[in-house]
Amino acid sequence: MDRREFFTKTKKRTPAFHRTVAAGLTPYAGTWTTNEAAHLLKRTMFGATKQDIDHFIAMSPGAAVDELLNNIPVSGTPLRDYGLIEDEFGVMHDDLGVVQGQTWVNDLNTLSDPEVKGSINQLRTGSLLKWWTGLILNQNRSINEKMVMFWHHHFSVQMEEVGNATMLWRHHKIFRDNPLGSVKQLARDVTIDPAMLFHLNGYLNSKLAPDENYARELQELFTVGRGPGSGYTENDVIAAARVLTGWRIDSVTLTSYLDNNAHDTGSKTFSAFYNGTTIGNNGATEVDQLMDMIFNTTEAARFICRKLYKWFVYYQIDEATENEVIIPLADIMISNNYEVKPVLSALFKSEHFFDLQHQACFIKNPFDIIVGTLREFGAAIPASTDWQNGYAFFDSVYDNAANMQQVLFQPPDVSGWPSYYQEPMYYELWVNSNSLPRRANFTDRLVDDNLIDTRAFANYSSNPSDPNQLILDITTLLLRYPLSLQSRNYTKNRFLLNNTNDDTVWTNAWNGGNSAVINAALKELFKFIMNLPEYHLC
């Protein structure tokens, strides 16, 4: 794969897809260096700091994977960071349900004034976005935040459609409480989740007027998909819609309940793909029966494993990968009651995952670029609980990611972000004439405004006074695709040697402590590196 192709407009796309990679889930037994550790960490976290890499290099690859999968934190709740609310008459109102610095998630915002109630809801939604961004920035050494975002992408809802902060919080909490657990349980919980009921019209689904919207997406996007082994029918969509009739949202508690008067109590018979299963006569248990039926198919596990594979490994799946990776992973999932952790453990510990063709083949999403840069350069990041100072910082990060096409709680549609599924572009969709300059402007500003310490990063080098070693060390940490010797020499000469081709120019400046020369050179050097195509690869 030509990893620079996404920047080359003139290169023709070849229709064929050929790879030769390590097959199967044979445990990885290769080298364990900065390169392999960075590959694992940058796929499972947002960025990999020098300290993260050093931490995991000190253990075996298997132990590193175990820590990433087991070190799941308790995340807390979003806090009120806003002040008084002004209505259309200039009158100031307070959110009487919760004081500043306290969480609002248990208050139902039952104010009678619709304008003030709506303003509070918007402010709470804003604090939810800041809080989530703060957790991503303050991630621990675990896969947690990448998995929460994966489930948000997979079971996508949009805040503009849902329009309620409490519903959005509860929807998000489903994934945060169970990021590596049973996908079957997640699918069941999401099915009757108020945010999803609202987003895909489930709350309107009635025996007198069945709404097929969620029933269709449940099968096509969330569980069995349209893969090679999927055979659900249009009648299965109709039958599933009938199973899900009657689910409503309590307007006060914002919880879901089954309205038996609106539920179709008749028998619903499904196709041969679902073994002719019949569901009916007990509305209270029919959702569970539906989940049992769907997840009794082998295709459900295979579909979920494909989605995980495209998120963590590679965006295309050939026949060999399907047979030797996806199907064995699905078998692991089924044998573990649809738990995700055993699947990811086998995948991340495999030769297949560490194959060189799976390294530096993704284009970083906006949060990978923004959060990864801030974390890897050791930028000062406020604690996720710092609502007074931190939430404004988190809001800036959220806005930058949104400007680069990744908006939390607002993927483009119910399929999530197109970069993870839309052929033939996939990850290339993250980079275009609008988003690429925004990426460059962001990293340039970090350097120009001294928000990252380039001198401190240079000190990560084993010998920063040697310009060759310095360039090699910092690019090894920052780039997943290495610069050629020719490119390293060009970079060294241009930014460290003042185009003299004399290594002593830099050595003398560094050893002599010439801060003006050193800092000016490093600023331009790091701006250049972060604008290279290689910096955008993960």
Side-chain angles (χ1 to χ4, degrees):
M1 172 184 181
D2 184 343
R3 293 171 173 86
R4 290 197 178 110
E5 182 182 350
F6 70 98
F7 283 128
T8 309
K9 295 182 179 179
T10 59
K11 183 155 184 169
K12 294 182 179 180
R13 183 181 307 281
T14 55
F17 171 46
H18 300 292
R19 291 189 303 152
T20 302
V21 298
L25 298 176
T26 303
Y28 179 68
T31 58
W32 183 239
T33 66
T34 293
N35 177 69
E36 291 76 36
H39 173 61
L40 173 65
L41 297 183
K42 293 193 181 192
R43 291 295 177 86
T44 56
M45 298 171 62
F46 292 93
T49 68
K50 175 68 161 55
Q51 294 76 17
D52 292 334
I53 292 171
D54 290 345
H55 174 80
F56 285 105
I57 282 181
M59 57 184 72
S60 68
V65 171
D66 289 340
E67 179 165 333
L68 289 166
L69 296 178
N70 290 308
N71 191 27
I72 305 300
V74 176
S75 302
T77 54
L79 306 174
R80 175 187 171 184
D81 65 315
Y82 49 88
L84 298 177
I85 300 101
E86 184 177 3
D87 67 19
E88 60 181 324
F89 303 107
V91 178
M92 305 303 292
H93 299 266
D94 195 9
D95 183 349
L96 299 177
V98 57
V99 299
Q100 280 188 303
Q102 300 297 314
T103 187
W104 47 263
V105 300
N106 298 314
D107 180 78
L108 295 173
N109 188 16
T110 56
L111 296 176
S112 57
D113 186 324
E115 182 186 355
V116 177
K117 181 176 181 178
S119 296
I120 290 174
N121 179 66
Q122 289 183 339
L123 291 167
R124 289 182 176 181
T125 300
S127 72
L128 174 61
L129 295 169
K130 298 168 195 173
W131 168 79
W132 185 4
T133 303
L135 291 177
I136 296 172
L137 284 160
N138 285 281
Q139 66 196 272
N140 69 336
R141 289 171 179 149
S142 82
I143 199 174
N144 189 64
E145 293 307 322
K146 272 283 173 80
M147 280 306 303
V148 171
M149 190 171 284
F150 168 79
W151 291 124
H152 174 55
H153 158 75
H154 181 71
F155 292 110
S156 172
V157 300
Q158 298 174 314
M159 56 186 168
E160 290 183 358
E161 294 288 337
V162 177
N164 183 278
T166 299
M167 286 192 212
L168 290 171
W169 152 250
R170 291 176 180 172
H171 175 81
H172 179 84
K173 191 173 185 294
I174 292 173
F175 312 136
R176 194 161 287 282
D177 286 349
N178 192 32
L180 296 172
S182 167
V183 65
K184 178 181 177 181
Q185 184 64 44
L186 285 177
R188 191 264 183 203
D189 293 343
V190 166
T191 295
I192 59 171
D193 166 55
M196 186 60 79
L197 286 172
F198 199 87
H199 183 56
L200 289 179
N201 300 331
Y203 75 107
L204 299 174
N205 191 8
S206 170
K207 65 181 180 182
L208 297 178
D211 189 301
E212 299 170 9
N213 199 2
Y214 181 77
R216 187 177 306 281
E217 308 300 13
L218 172 65
Q219 294 172 85
E220 181 174 342
L221 300 180
F222 300 160
T223 55
V224 294
R226 283 293 191 185
S230 179
Y232 74 91
T233 66
E234 187 65 21
N235 285 335
D236 290 331
V237 173
I238 296 170
R242 292 176 58 208
V243 168
L244 298 172
T245 52
W247 283 97
R248 299 293 181 262
I249 303 169
D250 187 303
S251 60
V252 176
T253 65
L254 301 179
T255 55
S256 61
Y257 68 95
L258 182 65
D259 179 358
N260 287 305
N261 292 325
H263 178 68
D264 184 337
T265 58
S267 295
K268 303 92 179 174
T269 300
F270 291 80
S271 71
F273 175 68
Y274 293 119
N275 296 318
T277 299
T278 296
I279 296 174
N281 302 321
N282 190 344
T285 65
E286 287 185 26
V287 171
D288 293 314
Q289 293 177 56
L290 181 63
M291 294 300 132
D292 288 342
M293 180 193 75
I294 289 174
F295 284 92
N296 277 340
T297 66
T298 56
E299 188 59 20
R302 293 177 184 180
F303 175 73
I304 299 298
C305 288
R306 291 185 202 110
K307 292 285 291 272
L308 290 166
Y309 184 90
K310 290 182 177 182
W311 184 265
F312 286 111
V313 185
Y314 197 71
Y315 47 80
Q316 289 178 296
I317 298 172
D318 58 18
E319 185 177 358
T321 302
E322 175 73 18
N323 292 329
E324 299 174 24
V325 177
I326 300 301
I327 291 175
L329 287 176
D331 292 341
I332 292 172
M333 178 173 279
I334 293 168
S335 65
N336 284 275
N337 196 28
Y338 281 87
E339 296 283 318
V340 172
K341 184 190 292 186
V343 172
L344 293 182
S345 178
L347 179 60
F348 295 147
K349 293 177 181 179
S350 70
E351 293 275 0
H352 186 85
F353 177 76
F354 286 100
D355 190 284
L356 284 175
Q357 290 207 53
H358 292 148
Q359 299 183 35
C361 62
F362 279 179
I363 296 175
K364 295 176 182 176
N365 66 42
F367 272 92
D368 275 319
I369 280 285
I370 296 169
V371 176
T373 301
L374 291 169
R375 293 186 66 251
E376 289 172 8
F377 278 91
I381 297 174
S384 61
T385 54
D386 184 358
W387 61 272
Q388 292 173 298
N389 303 302
Y391 273 34
F393 181 84
F394 306 153
D395 190 47
S396 175
V397 170
Y398 165 81
D399 284 341
N400 274 282
N403 288 335
M404 297 177 197
Q405 304 179 150
Q406 191 171 27
V407 187
L408 298 182
F409 283 116
Q410 197 65 34
D413 55 44
V414 72
S415 300
W417 287 295
S419 299
Y420 297 99
Y421 66 84
Q422 188 168 305
E423 299 180 20
M425 297 290 286
Y426 292 105
Y427 283 83
E428 295 177 27
L429 292 169
W430 287 129
V431 177
N432 54 47
S433 60
N434 178 52
S435 64
L436 185 58
R438 294 177 187 271
R439 288 174 174 235
N441 290 339
F442 174 78
T443 54
D444 284 354
R445 287 199 311 271
L446 292 181
V447 175
D448 290 335
D449 297 342
N450 297 311
L451 296 175
I452 58 177
D453 190 339
T454 56
R455 182 78 170 266
F457 197 91
N459 274 305
Y460 287 147
S461 172
S462 60
N463 185 9
S465 67
D466 178 351
N468 299 289
Q469 192 65 46
L470 175 61
I471 295 294
L472 178 61
D473 288 344
I474 63 177
T475 55
T476 297
L477 287 171
L478 289 175
L479 307 180
R480 290 298 306 120
Y481 189 72
L483 291 182
S484 66
L485 177 60
Q486 180 181 6
S487 295
R488 293 202 306 272
N489 286 335
Y490 167 81
T491 304
K492 174 191 70 170
N493 190 50
R494 177 179 173 185
F495 296 102
L496 301 183
L497 310 185
N498 197 25
N499 291 314
T500 64
N501 288 309
D502 182 358
D503 286 1
T504 63
V505 170
W506 176 255
T507 301
N508 291 337
W510 185 273
N511 289 337
N514 192 335
S515 293
V517 171
I518 294 170
N519 293 339
L522 289 177
K523 280 191 171 186
E524 294 307 310
L525 169 65
F526 280 102
K527 286 165 64 175
F528 174 77
I529 289 174
M530 289 189 286
N531 277 276
L532 289 173
E534 289 86 348
Y535 188 72
H536 296 260
L537 297 174
C538 178

